[in-house]
Amino acid sequence: MHSSVVITLLLAVLQAVVAKDLRTVTEPKIPSACSSLSGTGKDETSTIQKALTSCAKGKALHLASGTFLSGPLTIPSGVSLWVDSGVVLKASTNPNDYDEGKNTCGTLDSSGSGCKPFITIKGATGTGIYGKGTIDGQGGQTMTGKSESWWELARDAQTKKKKQNAPRLIQIDNSKDITLYLITLKNSPNFHVASKSTNGFTAWGVTINTPGTARNTDGIDPMGSQNITIAHCNIATGDDNVAIKAGNAATKHVSILNNKFGVGHGMSIGSEVNYGVSDVTVTTLTLDGTTNGLRIKSDKSRGGLVTGVTYSGVCMHNVKNPIVLDTQYSSASGSHIPTFKGITFSNVKVLTAGTFTFDGISDSNPVEATMSNVHIKSGSKWVTTHAKISGKYETDASGNSC
Ligand SMILES: *[C@@H]1O[C@H](CO)[C@@H](O)[C@H](O)[C@H]1NC(C)=O
């Protein structure tokens, strides 16, 4: 056998060994086009939606050139959207376009559920978003008919202790085998990608590039979902780069492979873990400039069991809180007690000093973690309360970049 074939096979086997996603996931392929459109820069919501609705299953609507402006879109089951290289699909800045009927999109209230997402994938099988083009949520632009941007609205919500009604960029609900491939997502008004109650989700070669100051702009959030692969992605944003949640159903069989995170709040699990998170691997990850590195966070109002989580081949630089296992992320009360156990850190290198926190609920319910080949920078702070840590770490990390 040719040696490169042997190496390729070997890599495939290695990948299969580390993967927790039960599917065999390989690099996606862009489906062929059902039709092509050229953007004019003007509002093209109905043109795009009609073309998506009439696209044959297994094919993709090809946005082939130019800039498109659009309000909310729904991608039907089996159909894909292909945003080609150089093409920009811009989300409307008009809150009325997204309003759920309560006239609250673009305002503050106590629920924050007044806006439709920009792109909805719901009850779909085999739908995807492909291509080297860009989907721009325009979160920093002044909203139509208002005096502030979606991000300024989100800041206001924080100071006024309310919730902002701002659209997510891509919402995937109750679906199967959904793919995001090569696409660049930026400036989402809220979360970039949420996949809820979805079995089979792949984000491969996706770039998310949004300022660190843009509040609540999570990168990719699998929620109550199974068989997830997030691979070869580059994620910089204003909240969790990735956040695995389980507030509506269990999330398990998750592979986070070969990714790079820039600014953001890090590789997170939580805060909602009520239904449990298990069988997660984070393998080969670089974090540079995130506030947190590897974090599991919850509290008594939304805790549950988080177990079978392995982090390996992780390098961090300029990360304030490189490892955080925090069962008391907020002081919220309740009977949903967080339990974090079977958490493994192996081959982890942290090049700059930071604070490491292991904070369990009680001595009878400590956070349980294992360390092997963990090298951190001298001068770091190591804080443990109700924690059972086996293995050890060394304060001998050196080097200026990952
Ligand atoms: C996960 O993938 C495996 C392998 O393809 C499949 O057997 C299983 O049913 C999937 N799980 C869910 C919940 O869809």
Side-chain angles (χ1 to χ4, degrees), residues 5 39 42 44 54 80 93 108 170 196 226 268 296 306:
V5 174
K42 300 205 188 79
E44 275 159 312
S54 60
S80 293
T93 52
L108 301 178
I170 299 172
K196 191 175 174 193
Q226 298 187 29
S268 301
I296 308 178
V306 178

Side-chain angles (χ1 to χ4, degrees), residues 33 41 71 90 101 103 215 231 239 257 287 311 326 331 339 352 393 395:
K90 286 188 177 179
N103 240 340
R215 187 166 174 258
D239 205 323
L257 312 172
L287 301 110
Y311 303 96
D326 187 2
S331 55
T339 300
T352 44
Y393 63 93
T395 51

Side-chain angles (χ1 to χ4, degrees), residues 20-24 175-177 198-200 225-228 252-253:
K20 293 285 182 180
D21 186 337
L22 297 174
R23 302 171 303 157
T24 304
S175 293
K176 257 164 113 174
D177 297 322
T198 289
N199 294 328
S225 292
Q226 298 187 29
N227 288 341
I228 309 289
K252 48 188 168 184
H253 304 301

Side-chain angles (χ1 to χ4, degrees), residues 125-296:
T125 300
T127 289
I129 300 176
Y130 296 83
K132 288 187 178 164
T134 299
I135 299 177
D136 182 351
Q138 304 212 84
Q141 300 298 313
T142 303
M143 290 181 270
T144 309
K146 308 263 176 187
S147 57
E148 59 181 0
S149 70
W150 296 111
W151 296 340
E152 286 165 330
L153 182 72
R155 260 317 140 205
D156 272 6
Q158 190 176 30
T159 48
K160 296 181 177 147
K161 296 197 163 32
K162 293 205 160 181
K163 286 189 173 151
Q164 72 276 26
N165 288 284
R168 292 179 179 176
L169 199 63
I170 299 172
Q171 176 73 38
I172 303 159
D173 280 320
N174 297 301
S175 293
K176 257 164 113 174
D177 297 322
I178 305 303
T179 304
L180 303 182
Y181 179 52
L182 302 181
I183 193 83
T184 293
L185 308 175
K186 66 177 191 185
N187 303 334
S188 177
N190 197 264
F191 295 177
H192 287 80
V193 181
S195 92
K196 191 175 174 193
S197 306
T198 289
N199 294 328
F201 169 69
T202 304
W204 186 296
V206 172
T207 299
I208 295 180
N209 187 8
T210 292
T213 50
R215 187 166 174 258
N216 294 152
T217 55
D218 287 25
I220 303 179
D221 291 4
M223 308 169 167
S225 292
Q226 298 187 29
N227 288 341
I228 309 289
T229 293
I230 299 172
H232 308 285
C233 296
N234 230 306
I235 304 176
T237 193
D239 205 323
D240 294 313
N241 302 67
V242 166
I244 298 170
K245 299 169 189 272
N248 61 305
T251 293
K252 48 188 168 184
H253 304 301
V254 180
S255 302
I256 316 269
L257 312 172
N258 302 300
N259 297 288
K260 286 194 173 135
F261 292 174
V263 290
H265 296 184
M267 173 62 240
S268 301
I269 298 177
S271 326
E272 311 87 307
V273 295
N274 315 42
Y275 289 84
V277 173
S278 60
D279 300 295
V280 175
T281 184
V282 176
T283 304
T284 316
L285 173 65
T286 299
L287 301 110
D288 198 343
T290 54
T291 50
N292 306 287
L294 310 173
R295 176 162 69 150
I296 308 178

Side-chain angles (χ1 to χ4, degrees), residues 293-351:
L294 310 173
R295 176 162 69 150
I296 308 178
K297 51 174 172 168
S298 195
D299 60 47
K300 289 177 183 164
S301 73
R302 48 196 162 172
L305 175 62
V306 178
T307 191
V309 179
T310 302
Y311 303 96
S312 76
V314 178
C315 179
M316 296 188 229
H317 178 252
N318 276 339
V319 175
K320 245 188 271 167
N321 305 296
I323 296 179
V324 183
L325 301 189
D326 187 2
T327 56
Q328 308 189 63
Y329 172 63
S330 90
S331 55
S333 60
S335 56
H336 301 281
I337 307 301
T339 300
F340 305 163
K341 61 182 186 188
I343 315 294
T344 304
F345 299 89
S346 73
N347 304 318
V348 173
K349 195 164 67 172
V350 185
L351 301 178

